[in-house]
Amino acid sequence: AGSASAAEPITASASCCSYTATSFTQAAGETGTFVNPADADAFHNVTAKDLGPDKKPLFASSSEPAGGSSPIPGTQYLDPGTYGFYCTIHTTAMSGQLVVDSSGTAVPRPAIKLGVLNQKLKAVRNQGKLKVKVTGTTASSGISISASAGGKKLGSISKVSVAAGASKTVVIKLTSAGKKALKNKKKVSVSVKSSMPFGKPVSASRKIQ
């Protein structure tokens, strides 16, 4: 097999287990597409061999049956270069390369800043919640944030979204174990950590009393 033409979806061969070309090309900033043809005889997918800043594959499609297709999230963040991929169902036999050219511009990866808002420890205990400021360096979604103190988890929140250049205050409700961890404390150092698809984890801390 040779190289596929630009903008052609990454396509599996009808017979297992290969793709229709060894190399596929897209412009930087595009979201690629995976196609499993109608006459395919197995489920297939496209998964990057390398990991991104979130310690997960740089890009990955869903596993598709014969006749299925899906976008390949993560490809829109790739800078020009060559990236290996494979099918996780047929790991030893099915692989290829995605070539990202410079005819476009990569989408900025999700990026945020965190801050623990100034609160009295007594208020945090009584109200059972901690307020955290989330600022979007770029548009970001699917953010999960967890809070801890003294190595003990206080609580968490998920599915947070923030627009580029915008800030919002989110409330993390303390679990029963989190409330217990703060009981009778005069001051604590609270740490918050975030994770999000395709973005780098971020952390912040603050002493409250």
Side-chain angles (χ1 to χ4, degrees):
S3 294
S5 59
E8 183 180 355
I10 297 176
T11 305
S13 300
S15 59
C16 191
C17 298
S18 66
Y19 298 99
T20 56
T22 57
S23 180
F24 297 81
T25 302
Q26 72 164 59
E30 290 184 331
T31 299
T33 302
F34 168 62
V35 174
N36 199 16
D39 54 350
D41 55 12
F43 275 77
H44 297 298
N45 62 50
V46 169
T47 304
K49 292 182 178 180
D50 296 323
L51 302 182
D54 60 350
K55 305 303 181 184
K56 296 181 180 180
L58 277 170
F59 54 87
S61 73
S62 58
S63 294
E64 295 294 335
S69 65
S70 65
I72 310 174
T75 51
Q76 70 270 38
Y77 304 120
L78 299 176
D79 291 322
T82 301
Y83 302 86
F85 63 80
Y86 68 110
C87 172
T88 59
I89 302 170
H90 308 99
T91 55
T92 58
M94 194 168 177
S95 63
Q97 291 185 325
L98 175 62
V99 177
V100 179
D101 67 33
S102 57
S103 60
T105 303
V107 174
R109 285 188 176 276
I112 63 170
K113 294 179 181 179
L114 293 178
V116 180
L117 295 179
N118 189 18
Q119 293 172 266
K120 295 293 185 181
L121 181 55
K122 182 178 180 180
V124 174
R125 282 198 299 259
N126 292 344
Q127 297 172 10
K129 58 187 181 183
L130 181 74
K131 295 179 181 179
V132 178
K133 183 179 180 181
V134 184
T135 301
T137 304
T138 65
S140 305
S141 61
I143 305 165
S144 296
I145 304 170
S146 62
S148 62
K152 296 182 179 180
K153 186 175 180 179
L154 302 179
S156 62
I157 188 172
S158 59
K159 299 180 180 180
V160 176
S161 299
V162 63
S167 296
K168 67 190 316 181
T169 298
V170 299
V171 175
I172 296 178
K173 294 183 179 179
L174 304 184
T175 63
S176 54
K179 293 176 182 178
K180 185 177 180 181
L182 298 182
K183 189 176 181 180
N184 298 324
K185 300 289 186 182
K186 293 184 178 180
K187 61 180 178 179
V188 295
S189 180
V190 174
S191 298
V192 290
K193 295 182 179 181
S194 71
S195 62
M196 57 189 163
F198 308 113
K200 185 178 180 180
V202 177
S203 62
S205 62
R206 184 176 197 141
K207 290 184 178 179
I208 58 177
Q209 57 185 15

